[in-house]
Amino acid sequence: MALVIQRKPLSWLEKTYLPQILGGLKITLKHLFAPKVTLQYPEERPVIPENYRGVPTLVKDPNGREKCVSCQLCEFVCPPKAIRIWPGEIPENTETSHVEKAPDDFEIDMLRCIYCGLCQEVCPEEAIFLQDTFSVTGYTRDEFKFRKEKLYELGGTLPDRHYKWDKKKEAARRGNAH
Amino acid sequence: MDFITFLITVAKALAVVAVLMSFCAYAVLAERKVSAWIQGRVGPNRTTLPVIGSIPVIGPILTRLGMFQPMADGLKFLFKEDVTPAHVNRVFYVLAPVLALVPALVTVTVVPFGQYVSAAGEVVPLVLADLDIGILFVLAVSSLGVYGIILAGWASNSKYPFLGGIRGSAQMISYELAMGLSLLPVFMWVNAPGSDAALNLTAVVQGQQGWWLILWQPLSAFIFLVALFAETNRLPFDMPEAETELVGGFHTEYSSFKFGLFFVAEYAHIVIGSAVFTVLFLGGWHPFPGVPLQMEGLLGAIVSIGIFTSKVAALVFFFIWVRWTLPRFRYDQVMTLGWKVLLPLAIANLVFYALVIAAYDTLN
Ligand code: SF4
Ligand code: SF4
């Protein structure tokens, strides 16, 4: 059913606009003295929510082990092909040699990345996270290609819930390979 | 006129223009600040100067208030690339911004901005040229400013500036009538029998030693103010500019310093308009209604200038405040308001005050 809204004809006073103009002036005057909402950016930083998708970064576990095992799943899933991985071998007789692989080098092109978060989602090792860095600047295209070192620097250490490889090592020591 | 008096006159004129221009620059700053505050922002607060900015306490406060911003703005206008489109009519294109600014600077010559009372009780108005036809001069010259807009619109040879120019001229014609008519009662009032005020602006101020004219003739003041908004192309009457409809209106094709001239001209017109309104309706340099200024000597002169400029500043603030409050009128509404409302109202107002003044004179 069509709804017809009855518009009241304007009263004489309303037709002069003046009361409305005065009302508007009152409102803007109130705002003139109201507290301001501006964030003084470089000095004040916005509060980044927990689930924010900033720059993708590589993280280490609390023992300082780099978590990425260069399985290259993220490289394959990345829609704009922003990730490039050079897989490498972990040398024998080290603390983590049972992990076998780690990236020799890892590159994310921040000019290509679309911050979709698929890499974080696909990673079986919980090694790559989109964290709170939201401002990336540089003068050349090359500066936007973040290499492994830079990615670990941005990523830092995140708490680990599993210590998967420590458990594996422990199990292997007790003679249970899996 | 001998050479020394000539030099003094030139110096005075330069001083007044310098003060007016810095007033304009700070009016731009005020516009930016007030608009920011009204919108819940803080406005320009970063620009600073090397030495003054690093004085403790004062430096940061001035920086926060954006006091150095006008210099940065001016420099920006000076050093930006000046693009002259190939399709413009060069002579008029260059002439237009000058024509927009010059009338505003010329009008200031007849606006009295203070008084000097000598020890003998003789009152000397502080004004560059105390013309007997002061208000006629103001009306005539200030309406020349619209030529800048029309020429800019025409010479740009492009559709949006053209529309802006046409709107500017139509609006100007519509509101000039109401403006002139709203002023007639003021001068009838001031030219009571026995006074030789003529059309002199100083005489209008001296006639307001008692109550101000805005209290005697609120309707005249109101019509004049509305017409003033229209003449200075301020929102809600900024038809020639109308950036949401006409890109930038008449100054769409202008860049760099030429645009800067238009920009300053707008504020110069606002400042001058406010000054004229202050002179005509707000009692000039008299501090309160019914309280004339009675200080002598140099101090009195400075106080009178101070009172006058603070009234002008308050009016400029009002202009800005209105701009950030009201939406723009539609073009046909502007025309309706001008021809069907303000003009009849101004005529009725004129007749009413003519009758009142006639009755008052015959009864006395
Ligand atoms: S970050 Fe994760 S998904 Fe990508 S290569 Fe390393 S382990 Fe595999
Ligand atoms: S966030 Fe998306 S686009 Fe960016 S690196 Fe990860 S998968 Fe690629």
Side-chain angles (χ1 to χ4, degrees):
Chain A
M1 199 188 77
L3 183 68
V4 179
I5 306 242
Q6 294 296 331
R7 284 185 188 256
K8 266 195 291 172
L10 295 182
S11 69
W12 180 84
L13 203 60
E14 280 168 340
K15 273 190 199 149
T16 63
Y17 302 139
L18 290 180
Q20 275 69 30
I21 290 178
L22 289 182
L25 287 176
K26 215 174 84 194
I27 289 174
T28 40
L29 192 66
K30 222 163 49 205
H31 280 272
L32 195 70
F33 297 108
K36 309 300 170 225
V37 297
T38 306
L39 189 79
Q40 297 288 342
Y41 170 60
E43 294 96 34
E44 294 169 27
R45 295 279 172 159
V47 181
I48 305 289
E50 192 70 10
N51 53 352
Y52 186 77
R53 293 208 307 248
V55 167
T57 59
L58 292 175
V59 299
K60 294 188 168 156
D61 79 356
N63 297 334
R65 184 182 68 82
E66 61 173 311
K67 294 173 84 178
C68 175
V69 296
S70 62
C71 70
Q72 292 180 290
L73 279 179
C74 53
E75 185 173 0
F76 290 123
V77 81
C78 177
K81 301 199 190 310
I83 301 179
R84 179 118 196 251
I85 298 166
W86 291 266
E89 219 172 313
I90 299 179
E92 293 284 334
N93 304 325
T94 56
E95 184 77 358
T96 55
S97 51
H98 63 298
V99 184
E100 294 177 7
K101 276 174 83 188
D104 263 355
D105 206 346
F106 199 114
E107 177 190 290
I108 305 183
D109 187 342
M110 293 305 169
L111 289 177
R112 283 185 152 249
C113 176
I114 55 174
Y115 302 93
C116 62
L118 286 187
C119 47
Q120 172 177 342
E121 210 157 301
V122 82
C123 179
E125 297 288 330
E126 298 189 351
I128 188 164
F129 281 93
L130 277 71
Q131 295 191 50
D132 58 358
T133 314
F134 54 86
S135 149
V136 183
T137 50
Y139 290 106
T140 60
R141 284 177 173 271
D142 281 340
E143 277 176 57
F144 286 95
K145 290 188 177 139
F146 285 8
R147 305 306 283 247
K148 186 172 144 179
E149 204 175 305
K150 172 101 187 193
L151 290 168
Y152 274 118
E153 186 192 311
L154 285 174
T157 304
L158 282 190
D160 194 327
R161 275 180 300 165
H162 312 299
Y163 293 103
K164 171 178 165 185
W165 291 99
D166 291 351
K167 284 182 189 157
K168 283 200 179 217
K169 197 175 187 181
E170 181 63 22
R173 197 180 55 78
R174 282 194 273 129
N176 179 3
H178 295 288
Chain B
M1 189 162 44
D2 63 294
F3 191 61
I4 301 295
T5 13
F6 175 72
L7 272 192
I8 290 177
T9 318
V10 169
K12 271 197 225 159
L14 284 182
V16 169
V17 168
V19 169
L20 177 69
M21 292 308 265
S22 37
F23 221 98
C24 293
Y26 280 92
V28 176
L29 174 70
E31 175 103 87
R32 297 181 65 180
K33 273 295 195 188
V34 172
S35 69
W37 288 334
I38 284 178
Q39 296 167 353
R41 301 181 283 116
V42 293
N45 64 351
R46 298 280 162 141
T47 321
T48 188
L49 280 181
V51 180
I52 309 176
S54 46
I55 301 174
V57 188
I58 303 173
I61 288 179
L62 288 182
T63 310
R64 284 270 157 220
L65 285 175
M67 281 302 163
F68 310 117
Q69 188 68 32
M71 291 168 225
D73 287 352
L75 275 182
K76 183 194 75 175
F77 280 133
L78 213 54
F79 289 122
K80 269 198 160 180
E81 186 188 359
D82 193 356
V83 182
T84 308
H87 52 71
V88 299
N89 183 331
R90 247 154 224 281
V91 179
F92 295 130
Y93 179 82
V94 176
L95 193 62
V98 180
L99 257 187
L101 181 60
V102 166
L105 297 186
V106 172
T107 4
V108 78
T109 51
V110 296
V111 178
F113 48 84
Q115 67 174 3
Y116 175 77
V117 183
S118 63
E122 193 190 355
V123 180
V124 185
L126 298 179
V127 53
L128 287 179
D130 197 16
L131 292 190
D132 277 344
I133 53 159
I135 191 63
L136 277 190
F137 185 83
V138 169
L139 288 181
V141 175
S142 68
S143 45
L144 285 181
V146 81
Y147 278 99
I149 292 176
I150 297 173
L151 264 189
W154 187 264
S156 292
N157 200 4
S158 123
K159 61 187 164 193
Y160 292 121
F162 181 64
L163 283 173
I166 291 192
R167 284 180 176 195
S169 51
Q171 181 176 320
M172 159 87 201
I173 293 168
S174 321
Y175 283 81
E176 190 79 351
L177 284 173
M179 187 184 237
L181 283 176
S182 73
L183 287 184
L184 280 182
V186 171
F187 285 91
M188 293 197 308
W189 191 276
V190 176
N191 283 290
S195 95
D196 54 352
L199 298 175
N200 188 310
L201 288 174
T202 323
V204 179
V205 177
Q206 298 305 12
Q208 298 182 72
Q209 293 190 356
W211 274 29
W212 297 350
L213 270 169
I214 193 172
L215 299 174
W216 288 117
Q217 305 194 355
L219 193 57
S220 309
F222 175 71
I223 297 171
F224 184 74
L225 192 64
V226 174
L228 201 62
F229 270 89
E231 297 276 306
T232 48
N233 299 322
R234 288 293 288 188
L235 235 94
F237 297 103
D238 68 337
M239 285 295 121
E241 246 180 276
E243 64 274 1
T244 37
E245 305 159 23
L246 300 182
V247 190
F250 63 95
H251 58 57
T252 307
E253 305 284 354
Y254 283 86
S255 50
S256 176
F257 201 62
K258 298 202 191 77
F259 172 75
L261 281 184
F262 275 126
F263 200 61
V264 173
E266 181 182 336
Y267 288 93
H269 275 117
I270 293 169
V271 173
I272 293 297
S274 306
V276 172
F277 189 85
T278 310
V279 164
L280 290 176
F281 293 105
L282 293 184
W285 47 82
H286 298 304
F288 299 104
V291 187
L293 185 73
Q294 276 160 333
M295 290 171 84
E296 284 183 5
L298 205 56
L299 186 66
I302 292 171
V303 169
S304 70
I305 294 178
I307 292 173
F308 185 79
T309 38
S310 37
K311 281 182 191 174
V312 172
L315 258 178
V316 170
F317 169 76
F318 181 70
F319 268 79
I320 296 169
W321 182 19
V322 167
R323 168 168 180 188
W324 296 101
T325 302
L326 299 183
R328 180 181 304 121
F329 279 121
R330 222 168 45 216
Y331 182 62
D332 61 315
Q333 289 173 328
V334 171
M335 287 296 128
T336 316
L337 189 67
W339 289 103
K340 292 196 188 156
V341 180
L342 278 190
L343 188 57
L345 206 60
I347 295 175
N349 181 46
L350 171 63
V351 172
F352 173 74
Y353 277 103
L355 291 179
V356 167
I357 292 169
Y360 182 79
D361 282 346
T362 34
L363 289 184
N364 278 317

